[in-house]
Amino acid sequence: MNLISISDLGKEDIIRLLDSADAFQARRGGHGEPLKGLSLAMIFEKPSTRTRVSLEVACEELGGHALYLSASELQLGRGETIADTARVLSRYVHGITARVYSHHTVMQLAQHARVPVLNALSDWEHPLQILADLQTMRQRFGRLEGLRVAWIGDGNNVCNSLLLASAILGMAITVASPPGYVPKDQILEQANKLCGRPKVVIEPADAANGADVLATDTWISMGDEGQEAERLRVFGKYQVNEGLMRLAAPRAVAMHCLPAHRGQEITDEVMDGPQSAVFDEAENRLHTSKAVMAWLMGQK
Ligand code: CP
Ligand code: NVA
């Protein structure tokens, strides 16, 4: 089994993974070695701090070995195909994770690999991030079903995975994005089919009103750098700040997958304030990565 989209998982799978992540967190250093003797190849076409470090440390702490492979230093960078790379790596390692520009690349890897493939971020989804976000929300609120989630900003990869997860888990999500930057119809239709009722609005305040979670992300994702000037102009009011937090529920939390552009999509006051969950969210990348690898790659 692969984890390419968060929708590769059903509700029961997600709950089981979150229970496992909580257990890994509670017993850090004291858990067994379900990845003993196993290796994970980690292909990166783009930079990373959290994903790379959390996966690498998670793998080591579970007894396995992680190999960081910059795509430009692999023969991939000289034209070897994705399919052949997947076939060859499958002869050496027990799992492959990849951070790629095009979602098609990670789908091709999964098609040709004989070991589990984990999407470590594509232009379409970021499922590993959303598992950490769900763990964080459940820890804060004690439940997921019925939570009111507001996404403020770009209808991007992280937003897509959160939309699908909300549909799977029965959370009510409202996305506030500027016209032209709302989530694609394909994702909204998929969320509808999963029985979600995602709402898309233009005004950040309309999404934030009464929400339990205010989530955001950079206005300029990796790969969007060429549109920087236009995006800075369009996204100006899509900022999670103290004014927006006041519209949310009294115990609401602010979330951001990081890296943050302080002063753009989120202010220092919110990032560093009492309602911020962003560093717990970052920590939970470690625990959820362990849960995913132990499940998909581990000794049964
Ligand atoms: N949130 C996240 O994926 O961070 P990195 O880009 O640092 O891996
Ligand atoms: N949307 C961001 C997420 C970074 C973790 C990007 O794709 O760059």
Side-chain angles (χ1 to χ4, degrees):
M1 179 176 168
N2 304 306
L3 180 56
I4 306 299
S5 163
I6 194 74
S7 64
D8 292 338
L9 304 173
K11 183 173 178 173
E12 304 305 319
D13 300 324
I14 293 176
I15 299 299
R16 186 157 14 104
L17 283 170
L18 300 185
D19 290 346
S20 165
D22 284 345
F24 278 122
Q25 182 170 20
R27 289 185 279 113
R28 186 166 182 197
H31 42 64
E33 296 196 323
L35 298 189
K36 194 171 174 55
L38 305 183
S39 299
L40 174 75
M42 308 195 305
I43 302 174
F44 282 82
E45 290 183 351
K46 301 174 176 176
S48 169
T49 298
R50 281 142 289 268
T51 305
R52 176 182 177 179
V53 177
S54 62
L55 281 167
E56 200 163 323
V57 172
C59 196
E60 302 286 338
E61 288 189 6
L62 295 184
H65 177 63
L67 298 97
Y68 174 79
L69 305 168
S70 161
S72 61
E73 290 168 22
L74 291 172
Q75 295 288 10
L76 258 181
R78 295 180 56 252
E80 186 167 17
T81 66
I82 296 287
D84 287 349
T85 304
R87 291 182 184 111
V88 171
L89 288 178
S90 298
R91 304 282 180 119
Y92 302 139
V93 302
H94 308 90
I96 301 172
T97 186
R99 166 166 288 197
V100 297
Y101 283 96
S102 165
H103 193 65
H104 182 64
T105 306
V106 72
M107 299 225 302
Q108 263 189 300
L109 269 175
Q111 188 186 339
H112 297 283
R114 290 195 312 201
V115 296
V117 173
L118 314 178
N119 178 359
L121 179 146
S122 68
D123 58 353
W124 193 245
E125 276 206 54
H126 197 0
L128 290 173
Q129 178 65 50
I130 291 310
L131 287 172
D133 294 5
L134 295 171
Q135 186 189 12
T136 310
M137 290 182 210
R138 197 175 72 157
Q139 289 173 338
R140 293 282 173 140
F141 295 101
R143 68 192 165 98
L144 291 171
E145 195 165 345
L147 284 184
R148 295 184 57 184
V149 178
W151 177 269
I152 310 296
D154 195 12
N156 64 12
N157 43 9
V158 177
C159 175
N160 286 350
S161 292
L162 186 58
L163 263 167
L164 295 176
S166 298
I168 294 164
L169 294 160
M171 303 190 298
I173 186 165
T174 303
V175 175
S177 306
Y181 297 89
V182 300
K184 301 276 183 297
D185 287 347
Q186 193 182 330
I187 281 287
L188 294 171
E189 282 160 19
Q190 197 182 348
N192 275 317
K193 279 199 193 115
L194 288 165
C195 296
R197 305 240 182 302
K199 279 205 276 184
V200 178
V201 297
I202 299 295
E203 293 303 322
D206 291 340
N209 247 320
D212 299 301
V213 175
L214 260 59
T216 189
D217 187 12
T218 179
W219 296 335
I220 303 157
S221 283
M222 292 177 277
D224 291 338
E225 293 82 358
Q227 306 162 24
E228 181 171 347
E230 175 64 4
R231 282 175 172 265
L232 289 178
R233 190 182 66 73
V234 166
F235 278 96
K237 69 176 175 184
Y238 293 81
Q239 181 186 65
V240 176
N241 53 34
E242 286 182 312
L244 207 64
M245 290 301 297
R246 275 195 288 275
L247 299 178
R251 293 185 55 232
V253 296
M255 299 188 69
H256 191 312
C257 62
L258 304 179
H261 300 76
R262 289 167 175 260
Q264 292 186 10
E265 74 275 3
I266 192 165
T267 58
D268 284 334
E269 290 73 23
V270 172
M271 274 273 290
D272 302 327
Q275 289 174 286
S276 171
V278 300
F279 296 107
D280 290 341
E281 204 182 337
E283 177 187 326
N284 286 340
R285 293 295 306 272
L286 176 69
H287 313 306
T288 47
S289 293
K290 283 182 183 173
V292 169
M293 284 193 286
W295 183 38
L296 294 186
M297 291 168 56
Q299 320 275 14
K300 301 291 182 278

